[in-house]
């Protein structure tokens, strides 16, 4: 065990620390987080639009008219369908903050560049027609939402890097001292904004002369689709969870670091399920953000809520009893830092075994359960990750009791994996306490 701990300290921790401090990953994570409040608000209306109660649609139609569902889902479109715009602004803003340049200008330039990279037309099929017609002068809502998320990310990082490069080399227009600061900042951003827009415009013109036609098609074929296939597979989910747990093993927030890379993939998968729900189609994706938040990480990373219950109910050592009372409250809301750093789990070879093994097993059981139809796939409803178990499974699957049943099965499995390690850990604590000088 001592050799294992030494290996974590010497080999894993330095690399993981560098990854955690990487400014682009941090900006990506924080920019994606900016979309979550809007998506959660939209999810509330999505739940209300598809409550699985007999007679509910008829009641709503009689009360509010035949178009009740369309009108109720307006806020859903106003939140989900602009996630690329919000994320693009947020990522550019946070990255500019890291470079200590004007973040507001960076966000505005990112949005303008993203709009420039997006085609100004959409294909529309009129009622009764069989062929779609090209409608110009519009921005396709699909590209402003999850479908354009990867382009928004690339544009935000690219535009902000160009912007800060120009600013830091002082290639700017400076105004006299008497000019108001807000006006002066606008002129400072004038040349870098022109350069970014010029470069994105040239890129767009070049791509239009290829078979890809748009930057969105390039990114979709070369980046988004391969990442989505990997991130949406069982193997991809297992790799992601393994990396998350290994990072937590050395005290780093694994979910935030890995989520910075895979978050856009899982968020796009969530939105694809949401669109399928609104279109009354089958859910296409098993692996979504809610797959992890609700069904794997019950009690927090490592599915430690069962460990908290064991300490509360079966502990013999005073350390475990006190930690159980302290951790059960946060654990119900999927917060497990009291356990992670209080047991501790971090750098503890004995507890790291179930801490890493349990979520990997739960990924397999949940994936099989949803793939076979035993449990429903998540409905694209972005409920908060702090939603307590059992309730979370019910909400994430559109009010289906089998979602809660899947969580309950996972809790039993987690309990069985953790319990023998808990007994050994508790026994060690008890021996230490009994042998301690009074």
């Amino acid at each position: 065990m001592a050799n294992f701990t030494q290996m974590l300290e010497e080999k894993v921790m330095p690399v993981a620390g560098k990854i955690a401090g990487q400014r682009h990953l941090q900006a990506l994570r924080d920019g994606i987080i900016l979309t979550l409040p809007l998506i959660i608000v939209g999810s509330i209306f999505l739940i209300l639009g598809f409550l699985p109660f007999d007679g509910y649609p008829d009641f709503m139609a009689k009360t509010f008219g035949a178009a009740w569902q369309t009108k109720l889902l307006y806020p859903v479109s106003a939140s989900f369908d602009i996630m690329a715009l919000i994320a693009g602004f947020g990522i550019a803003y946070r990255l500019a903050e890291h470079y200590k340049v004007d973040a507001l200008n960076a966000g505005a330039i990112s949005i303008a560049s993203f709009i420039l990279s997006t085609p100004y037309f959409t294909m529309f099929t009129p009622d009764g027609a069989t062929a779609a017609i090209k409608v110009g002068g519009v921005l396709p809502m699909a590209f402003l939402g999850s479908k354009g998320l990867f382009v928004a990310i690339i544009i935000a990082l690219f535009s902000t890097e160009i912007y800060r490069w120009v600013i830091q080399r002082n290639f700017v227009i400076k105004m006299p001292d008497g000019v108001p600061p807000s006006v002066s900042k606008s002129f400072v951003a004038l040349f870098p904004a022109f350069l970014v827009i010029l470069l994105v415009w040239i890129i767009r013109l070049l791509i239009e002369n290829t078979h890809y036609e748009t930057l969105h098609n390039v990114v979709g074929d070369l980046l988004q689709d391969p990442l989505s296939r990997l991130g949406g597979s069982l193997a991809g989910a297992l790799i992601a969870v393994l990396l998350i747990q290994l990072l937590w093993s050395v005290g780093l927030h694994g979910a935030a670091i890995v989520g910075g890379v895979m978050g856009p993939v899982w968020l796009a998968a969530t939105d694809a399920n949401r669109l399928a729900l609104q279109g009354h189609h089958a859910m296409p994706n098993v692996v979504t953000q809610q797959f992890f938040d609700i069904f794997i990480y019950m009690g927090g990373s490592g599915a430690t809520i069962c460990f908290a219950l064991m300490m509360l109910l079966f502990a013999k050592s005073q350390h475990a009893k006190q930690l159980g009372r302290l951790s059960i409250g946060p654990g119900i809301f999927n917060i497990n830092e009291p356990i992670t750093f209080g047991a501790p789990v971090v750098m503890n070879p004995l507890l790291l075994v179930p801490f890493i093994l349990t979520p990997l097993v739960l990924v397999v059981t949940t994936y099989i359960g949803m793939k076979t139809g035993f449990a429903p796939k998540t409905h694209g409803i972005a409920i908060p990750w702090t939603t307590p178990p059992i309730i979370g499974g019910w909400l994430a699957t559109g009010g289906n009791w089998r979602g809660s049943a899947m969580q309950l099965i996972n809790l039993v499995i987690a309990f069985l994996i953790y319990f023998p390690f808990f007994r050994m850990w508790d026994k060690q604590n008890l021996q230490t306490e009994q042998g301690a000088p009074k």
Side-chain angles (χ1 to χ4, degrees), residues 42 46 50 69-70 73-74 76-77 80-81 271-281 283 379-380:
L46 190 62
F50 294 93
Q69 191 178 62
T70 299
L73 297 181
Y74 284 163
V76 177
S77 297
F80 279 88
D81 289 348
D271 195 44
N273 281 11
R274 188 266 306 182
L275 292 170
L277 176 67
Q278 290 185 235
H280 303 281
H281 303 303
M283 305 295 155
H379 279 38

Side-chain angles (χ1 to χ4, degrees), residues 344-365:
V345 174
V346 173
M347 306 296 288
N348 186 334
L350 177 61
L351 294 182
L352 282 178
V353 175
F355 184 74
I356 295 173
L357 178 62
T358 301
L360 291 173
V361 173
L362 298 189
V363 166
V364 175
T365 58

